[in-house]
């Protein structure tokens, strides 16, 4: 599979003849159309022959050669019928193929300012370039699992210190240069030595070497269970060591598409890479249009200027959802965590565990999700469902205002003497969620002053200076649990058991051991009420009903487009 398709799979994408819910299921069946069955009916001539025999007195009165002639005639008719039927089906197939658009236009939100993926931060570059233009040693599927890419398979030594990658054969870059183990080694060495973006993801890597043209070996100083997943992102990308191009405006990769044109903050045009070593993309041209204004984006989908829009708020998606004959609206899974941070450091009211627990009991998470349109999910802990170590922890702190009041009373706060806190968060999240939290916490004797600020201010005051009581921000990174084992992080959370379990998880030599340790650590963090996880944000995508193969899960950070097709309505 990997050697034929390249770095691609179909899990989690929309599929033919499935409804919106089915589109999320892995390996959803594509039933296609059933045969007409006319060939079988053409061969069922017994009844008509019986009638003819009765009328004419049977074949035997005309001699044996008459029967032979009739049999030959029937066979000839059958052959002609089959040929006509096949010709009809071929014509139908050709018509369907010609009806599929050669270009699909997709509307996205966050636009890159340049294409230099080795030096420029921002998920917009990962979203559009990884898996489409650039490929890594390995990739991730829609369930956030590691799958083959440039490496068709790999072996890990029992001690977790040696990773041997077996590369696909006959690979090339878009400029025609051969892609070999030498390019892989050069790319990883450059990343480490020049400290390109995400170089810190390759922890414990001691040496990178090649054995022939199709084998790469990484040796580690100590085990690192997250290495393979780290290689699915920027840290594992493979570049052409001999290519010359302007990285900010051009790209030379090994993926199914090339960058035909790029207009900063406006658009990117992807063209089929005719030298691609895997299966060619289903749509030759993909146009990406970026819309900073939500109304402009919605109008673009309504007018047909774009066929897909992601993300779209549940409210703005409502008109499309009410028109299922023309549009499909679906929310995909993701790793975004809306974290209500509580300052655990000494000297703050939220350093008291009873206060933190009271805040968690006071929050009605179902109400928060409903107010946002219902697409998001409740999340009771620091690990989302697509990450290793996930466990449903939503029942640890169910909404219970009476229990919240009782805990606050034990901590010394009552209606006459309420707890006063300030909630500081970036203005990108709007005012509604802050107002809801203030209202919910007011019911349990917590007076909240909501302070909505510029993101740069949040970074300085909350993230850097740690000068806050409560905070709100979307932590969208995957595999980011280690922030809870770092006492210097802005949460100020310091738990030795969590630190030990996290360290053991990172040095585990099996996924099972890693996941078990992470789950135990995450439960402790949640039980400690180190923060509250308001919701797991899910990206809502709206698209023309004729679009198939568009990824729904994680499409704001990982958007492989090789399987996308669009068939306009007749």
């Amino acid at each position: 599979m990997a050697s034929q398709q390249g770095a691609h799979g179909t899990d989690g994408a929309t599929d033919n003849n499935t409804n919106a819910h089915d589109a999320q299921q892995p390996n959803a069946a594509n039933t296609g159309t059933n045969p007409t069955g006319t060939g079988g009916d053409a061969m069922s001539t017994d009844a008509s022959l019986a009638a003819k025999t009765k009328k004419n007195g049977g074949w035997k009165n005309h001699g044996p050669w008459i029967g032979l002639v009739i049999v030959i005639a029937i066979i000839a008719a059958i052959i002609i019928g089959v040929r006509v039927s096949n010709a009809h089906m071929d014509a139908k197939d050709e018509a369907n193929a010609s009806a599929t658009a050669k270009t699909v236009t997709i509307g996205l939100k966050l636009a890159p300012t340049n294409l230099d993926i080795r030096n420029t931060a921002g998920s917009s570059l990962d979203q559009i370039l990884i898996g489409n233009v650039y490929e890594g040693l390995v990739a991730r599927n829609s369930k956030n699992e590691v799958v083959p890419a440039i490496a068709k398979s790999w072996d890990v030594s029992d001690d977790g210190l040696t990773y041997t990658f077996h590369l696909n054969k006959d690979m090339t870059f878009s400029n025609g240069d051969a892609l070999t183990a030498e390019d892989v080694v050069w790319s990883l060495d450059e990343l480490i030595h020049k400290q390109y973006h995400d170089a810190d993801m390759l922890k414990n890597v001691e040496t990178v070497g090649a054995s022939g043209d199709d084998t790469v070996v990484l040796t580690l100083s100590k085990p690192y269970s997250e290495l393979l997943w780290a290689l699915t992102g920027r840290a594992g990308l493979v570049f052409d060591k001999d290519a010359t191009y302007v990285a900010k405006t051009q790209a030379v990769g090994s993926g199914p598409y090339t960058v035909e044109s790029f207009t900063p903050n406006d658009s990117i045009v992807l063209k089929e890479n005719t030298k691609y070593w895997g299966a060619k993309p289903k749509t030759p041209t993909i146009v990406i249009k970026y819309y900073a204004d939500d109304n402009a984006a919605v109008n673009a989908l309504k007018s047909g200027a774009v066929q897909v829009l992601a993300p779209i708020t549940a409210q703005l998606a409502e008109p499309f959802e009410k028109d299922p004959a023309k549009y499909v609206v679906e929310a995909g899974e993701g790793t975004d965590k809306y974290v209500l941070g509580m300052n655990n450091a000494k000297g703050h009211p939220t350093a008291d565990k009873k206060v933190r627990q009271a805040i968690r009991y006071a929050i009605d998470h179902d109400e928060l999700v409903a107010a946002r349109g219902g697409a998001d999910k409740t999340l009771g802990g620091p690990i989302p469902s697509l990450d290793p170590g996930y466990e449903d922890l939503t029942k640890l702190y169910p909404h219970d205002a009476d229990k919240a009041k009782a805990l606050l009373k034990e901590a010394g706060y009552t209606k006459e003497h309420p707890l006063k806190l300030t909630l500081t968060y970036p203005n990108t999240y709007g005012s509604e969620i802050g107002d809801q939290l203030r209202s919910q916490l007011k019911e349990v004797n917590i007076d909240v002053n909501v302070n909505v600020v510029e993101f740069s201010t949040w970074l300085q005051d909350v993230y850097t200076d740690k000068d806050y009581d409560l905070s709100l921000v979307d932590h969208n990174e995957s595999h980011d649990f280690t922030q809870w084992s770092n006492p210097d992080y802005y949460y100020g959370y310091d738990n030795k058991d969590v630190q030990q379990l996290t360290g053991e998880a990172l040095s585990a030599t099996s996924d099972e051991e890693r996941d078990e340790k992470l789950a135990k650590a995450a439960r402790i963090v949640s039980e400690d009420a180190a923060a509250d996880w308001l919701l797991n944000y899910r990206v809502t995508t709206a698209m023309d009903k004729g679009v198939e193969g568009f990824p729904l899960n994680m499409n704001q950070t990982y958007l492989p487009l090789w399987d996308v097709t669009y068939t306009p309505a007749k």
Side-chain angles (χ1 to χ4, degrees), residues 130-434:
I130 297 179
N132 293 315
V133 178
Y134 293 114
E135 294 178 312
L137 261 179
V138 289
R140 67 188 73 162
N141 63 14
S142 66
K143 293 181 285 186
N144 211 20
E145 300 167 333
V146 179
V147 294
I150 284 174
K152 63 183 179 181
S153 63
W154 55 87
D155 306 308
V156 184
S157 62
D158 292 340
D159 60 7
L161 298 179
T162 304
Y163 287 70
T164 304
F165 296 91
H166 308 285
L167 310 187
N168 288 286
K169 297 184 182 297
D170 301 321
M171 294 183 292
T172 60
F173 291 99
S174 59
N175 60 3
D177 288 357
L179 192 168
T180 68
E182 188 177 358
D183 295 292
V184 178
V185 173
W186 177 82
S187 298
L188 297 182
D189 279 341
E190 287 278 291
L191 176 86
I192 295 169
H193 295 143
K194 294 186 177 179
Q195 285 296 290
Y196 288 135
H197 197 281
D198 280 358
D200 59 335
M201 297 289 287
L202 295 190
K203 300 183 189 300
N204 307 339
V205 173
E206 203 164 57
T207 65
V208 182
S211 177
D213 286 340
D214 56 6
T215 304
V216 173
V217 180
L218 272 65
T219 61
L220 279 61
S221 57
K222 58 182 180 179
Y224 179 49
S225 63
E226 295 283 73
L227 178 65
L228 284 174
W229 189 86
L231 290 170
T232 67
R234 295 195 192 195
L237 294 182
V238 177
F239 300 90
D240 183 357
K241 67 182 183 61
D242 298 320
T244 301
Y245 60 99
V246 180
K248 288 188 175 183
T249 57
Q250 299 172 317
V252 176
S254 62
Y257 287 102
T258 62
V259 176
E260 182 180 65
S261 65
F262 167 60
T263 303
N265 299 307
D266 179 76
S267 62
I268 296 176
V269 178
L270 302 178
K271 273 286 189 185
E272 176 187 349
N273 175 9
T274 57
K275 298 180 176 65
Y276 186 49
W277 57 275
K280 71 177 186 177
K282 293 183 178 179
T283 299
T285 303
I286 301 285
V287 178
I288 306 296
K289 286 288 295 180
Y290 293 99
Y291 295 94
D293 181 75
D294 287 341
N295 290 325
V298 167
N299 289 334
L301 182 59
K302 286 181 179 178
S303 68
V306 302
Q307 287 76 58
V308 183
L309 204 56
I312 182 172
T313 65
Q315 290 84 355
L316 291 176
E318 192 173 340
F320 302 109
E321 203 162 15
K322 289 182 177 178
D323 192 2
K326 293 176 62 178
Y327 301 101
V328 173
V329 177
E330 185 59 77
E333 302 298 330
T335 60
D336 291 61
K337 304 161 288 292
Y338 270 49
V339 180
L340 181 69
M342 306 184 203
N343 200 329
N344 287 243
K346 291 180 180 179
H348 293 268
T350 45
D352 187 337
K353 182 177 178 179
K354 290 180 180 179
V355 169
R356 299 196 306 270
Q357 289 178 315
I359 291 172
R360 293 204 66 187
Y361 280 122
I363 295 173
D364 187 339
H365 300 86
D366 291 332
E367 184 180 88
L368 294 179
V369 169
R372 290 170 52 85
D376 303 319
K377 295 195 305 185
T378 55
L379 180 65
I383 298 180
S385 60
L386 290 180
D387 276 357
Y390 169 74
E391 178 186 2
D392 184 355
L393 301 174
T394 53
K395 294 181 180 179
L396 284 180
Y397 288 92
H399 176 53
D400 190 331
D402 290 337
K403 189 171 287 189
K405 289 178 183 178
L407 284 164
L408 284 170
K409 187 175 182 180
E410 291 179 28
Y413 302 101
T414 62
K415 184 176 182 179
E416 294 72 29
H417 179 59
L419 172 61
K420 297 182 183 295
L421 299 173
T422 298
L423 167 61
T424 305
Y425 69 91
N427 56 14
T428 51
Y429 304 114
S431 61
E432 184 178 4
I433 192 167

